[in-house]
């Protein structure tokens, strides 16, 4: 039996509008949440046109010319704007009848490319029991016929399986949110023997070690430790019969282990270092889960991933900004100090879920609004942009000046 996708009703109208206005085909991403029982699609976003397409108002006429790299880059950018619990869970193509035969092959190729690109950036590993099916949605622009299939992205030889596509109103109007602020104080030593003092590479290595610490942390939900297999809402009143968007927030505290358990022996290693990278501050983290009897395990996993993603994404954005402003070949082994971008949240109409983004201190509101239009095809009012943090998170690189040693 194939998977069932419950889809926000407004997506049907969005896809219908795209099929009317864009020919001969249009591609895009499906955003939502996977769970063991069912999957949820709460947003669909078309692939933004490239600059030359904007200028010429021309779209490629053959599916063979689908720009795989452009679509995977879009998926990577969009994934940064998703809070915990949400992911790019599929790809859609709306095409004319003449191109319908080629659509499924194009979709299969895109699904595996997108997943490979997203996996490469992650600092966490999927759980063994995790849903690995991704949706391939094909729509005929003439007949409006919808065909949904899935591919198992863990199996490169996976063949298409049929799936149900069911629209539902107010699908995410009362999803559950988990909020926490994590204090970050990460010290990454740079070995004197290392030939590479690349700031980005060493930061990622340090974040990899830190992410394992987050994975092993203890999470208190509203002050309590809850069993993984209990329902998240157990003991709480559930909002029922409410189609207006409303969010039930759970406050979460994260307790990281300071040392290994007594059963593990630890040894101290003395190493000569030539410098260190330090990350310090407080980051706002948030995850959303569906309201269909979610388990504590699902909620905590979503929040853990948001904690890891938000710090990793900020560092990635900073390094991209440095390359633009200072060039890719900056190798100076000198003291550096940078402020990571702050997190912000933006509401989604008819949903309790908020999308996310990051801004530097000197970044104008108009730039954020432009990014939401380009990446998520969503207009945002300035008053709807909520900056989540008051404390800056900083990254600094401090070289140690060692005495020279004769050979």
């Amino acid at each position: 039996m194939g998977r069932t996708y419950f889809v926000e009703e407004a997506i049907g109208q969005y896809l219908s509008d795209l099929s009317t206005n864009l020919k001969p085909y249009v591609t895009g991403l499906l955003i939502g949440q996977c769970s063991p029982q069912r999957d949820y699609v709460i947003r669909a976003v078309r692939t933004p046109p490239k600059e030359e397409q904007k200028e010429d108002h021309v779209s490629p006429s053959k599916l063979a010319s689908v720009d795989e790299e452009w679509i995977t880059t879009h998926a990577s950018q969009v994934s940064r704007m998703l809070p915990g619990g949400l992911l790019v869970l599929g790809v859609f193509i709306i095409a004319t009848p003449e191109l319908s035969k080629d659509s499924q092959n194009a979709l299969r190729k895109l699904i595996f490319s997108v997943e490979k690109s997203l996996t490469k950036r992650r600092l966490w590993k999927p759980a063994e029991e995790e849903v690995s099916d991704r949706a391939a949605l094909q729509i005929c622009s003439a007949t409006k016929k919808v065909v949904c299939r899935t591919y198992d992205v863990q199996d490169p030889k996976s063949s298409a399986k049929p799936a149900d596509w069911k629209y539902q109103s107010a699908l995410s109007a009362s999803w559950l949110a988990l909020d926490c602020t994590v204090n970050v104080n990460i010290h990454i030593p740079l070995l004197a023997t290392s030939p590479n003092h690349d700031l980005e590479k060493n930061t990622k290595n340090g974040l990899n070690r830190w992410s394992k610490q987050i994975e092993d942390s203890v999470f208190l939900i509203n002050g309590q430790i809850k069993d993984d297999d209990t329902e998240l809402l157990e003991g709480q009143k559930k909002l029922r019969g409410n189609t207006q968007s409303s969010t039930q927030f759970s406050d979460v505290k994260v307790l990281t282990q300071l040392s290994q358990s007594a059963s593990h022996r630890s040894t101290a290693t003395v190493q000569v270092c030539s410098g260190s990278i330090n990350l310090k501050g407080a980051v706002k983290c948030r995850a959303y889960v569906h309201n269909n009897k979610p388990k504590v395990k699902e909620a905590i996993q979503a929040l853990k991933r948001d904690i890891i993603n938000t710090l990793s994404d900020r560092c990635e954005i900073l390094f991209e900004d440095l390359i633009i402003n200072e060039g890719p070949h900056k190798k100076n082994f000198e003291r550096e100090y940078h402020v990571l971008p702050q997190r912000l949240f933006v509401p989604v109409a008819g949903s309790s879920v908020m999308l996310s983004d990051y801004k530097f201190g000197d970044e104008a509101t108009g730039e954020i609004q432009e990014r939401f239009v380009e990446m998520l095809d969503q207009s945002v009012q300035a008053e709807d942009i909520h900056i989540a943090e008051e404390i800056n998170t900083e990254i600094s690189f401090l070289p140690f000046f060692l005495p020279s040693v004769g050979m």
Side-chain angles (χ1 to χ4, degrees):
M1 186 177 167
R3 298 195 69 78
T4 297
Y5 289 89
F6 289 88
V7 186
E8 188 65 61
E9 201 168 49
I11 290 175
Q13 186 59 52
Y14 177 77
L15 295 173
S16 177
D17 291 345
L18 286 180
S19 68
T20 304
N21 299 330
L22 292 164
K23 291 181 179 180
Y25 72 86
V26 60
T27 60
L29 306 172
L30 301 171
I31 296 165
Q33 186 169 102
C34 297
S35 76
Q37 293 81 23
R38 54 176 74 177
D39 299 320
Y40 306 88
V41 182
I42 67 166
R43 287 297 304 271
V45 291
R46 55 94 184 99
T47 307
K50 298 182 85 167
E51 283 302 320
E52 57 267 29
Q53 291 172 359
K54 286 182 188 174
E55 292 167 9
D56 301 338
H57 303 286
V58 173
S59 297
S61 59
K62 294 183 179 178
L63 281 172
S65 61
V66 165
D67 194 330
E68 202 175 312
E69 186 180 353
W70 183 252
I71 293 168
T72 54
T73 300
H74 179 226
S76 295
Q77 296 286 335
V78 166
S79 69
R80 285 179 180 169
M81 303 173 84
L82 303 180
L86 297 187
L87 75 158
V88 176
L89 53 67
V91 179
F92 70 80
I93 286 182
I94 304 170
T96 57
E98 300 79 37
L99 299 177
S100 60
K101 286 184 180 179
D102 300 326
S103 293
Q104 204 54 225
N105 287 336
L107 279 169
R108 187 186 194 283
K109 194 176 177 184
L110 287 173
I111 278 176
F112 281 92
S113 296
V114 165
E115 190 65 23
K116 184 180 178 181
S117 172
L118 297 179
T119 302
K120 199 184 296 181
R121 294 178 55 251
R122 290 176 188 148
L123 296 184
W124 46 265
K125 291 182 180 176
E128 282 185 20
E129 70 278 8
E130 197 151 337
V131 175
S132 56
D133 285 346
R134 296 291 179 265
L137 186 72
Q138 180 181 346
I139 301 174
C140 175
S141 60
T143 65
K144 312 299 182 192
K145 182 183 177 183
V146 174
V147 177
C148 186
R149 298 184 177 94
T150 60
Y151 292 94
D152 181 353
V153 289
Q154 295 295 325
D155 177 11
K157 296 179 180 176
S158 169
S159 55
K161 290 178 281 189
D164 289 331
W165 183 264
K166 296 183 176 180
Y167 289 110
Q168 186 175 317
S169 63
L171 180 70
S172 58
S174 55
W175 277 20
L176 316 171
L178 293 93
D179 256 6
C180 72
T181 299
V182 175
N183 292 313
V184 174
N185 192 358
I186 303 170
H187 181 75
I188 306 164
L190 301 175
L191 300 183
T193 53
S194 171
N196 182 11
H197 288 108
D198 179 270
L199 189 62
E200 182 173 3
K201 187 174 181 181
N202 283 292
T203 300
K204 190 161 188 177
N205 289 341
L207 288 177
N208 251 315
R209 293 190 289 272
W210 170 79
S211 70
K212 292 176 176 60
Q213 195 180 12
I214 295 298
E215 293 277 12
D216 295 336
S217 295
V218 174
F219 285 65
L220 301 180
I221 300 176
N222 296 326
Q224 297 179 312
I225 294 178
K226 296 192 173 187
D227 186 71
D228 277 357
D229 289 321
T230 59
E231 283 186 27
L232 182 62
L233 285 174
E234 196 172 88
Q236 297 181 48
K237 288 184 178 179
K238 185 178 175 182
L239 298 172
R240 294 183 183 276
N242 185 10
T243 57
Q244 298 298 311
S245 60
S246 50
T247 313
Q248 283 185 271
F249 278 96
S250 293
D251 179 60
V252 180
K253 296 283 186 292
V254 183
L255 308 179
T256 54
Q257 298 183 27
L258 295 177
S259 60
Q260 292 177 316
S261 62
S263 60
H264 287 84
R265 288 190 57 151
S266 62
T267 56
T269 305
V270 178
Q271 296 175 309
V272 179
C273 295
S274 58
S276 69
I277 297 168
N278 302 288
L279 277 157
K280 194 167 186 179
V283 292
K284 181 78 171 180
C285 308
R286 183 177 294 175
Y288 292 94
V289 284
H290 60 85
N291 58 351
N292 183 38
K293 298 182 178 178
K295 302 282 186 181
V296 167
K297 177 167 58 179
E298 290 177 69
I300 288 178
Q301 182 188 75
L303 190 57
K304 280 181 180 178
R305 290 177 180 178
D306 190 66
I307 295 168
I308 294 166
N309 287 346
T310 188
L311 193 55
S312 173
D313 287 345
R314 291 174 212 230
C315 290
E316 207 174 73
I317 292 166
L318 172 68
F319 294 130
E320 287 172 2
D321 189 67
L322 290 177
I323 287 171
I324 291 168
N325 293 313
E326 299 180 5
H329 305 299
K330 187 174 185 291
K331 295 288 183 185
N332 295 349
F333 192 47
E334 61 188 26
R335 180 184 293 262
E336 290 185 43
Y337 169 88
H338 303 285
V339 176
L340 294 181
Q342 285 180 297
R343 194 170 200 181
L344 58 90
F345 290 99
V346 166
V348 175
S351 174
S352 63
V353 173
M354 297 181 87
L355 298 172
S356 171
D357 198 12
Y358 300 95
K359 76 176 285 288
F360 288 104
D362 59 353
E363 202 169 354
T365 300
E367 293 177 73
I368 297 161
Q369 291 171 307
E370 285 174 16
R371 197 156 53 240
F372 268 87
V373 169
E374 184 179 15
M375 293 296 153
L376 293 167
D377 208 7
Q378 177 178 332
S379 297
V380 174
Q381 300 301 313
E383 59 269 22
D384 287 334
I385 298 172
H386 305 283
I387 305 296
E389 297 149 343
E390 295 177 6
I391 301 172
N392 285 331
T393 302
E394 300 154 357
I395 182 169
S396 58
F397 169 59
L398 304 173
F400 305 147
F401 296 101
L402 301 171
S404 57
V405 179
M407 295 299 290

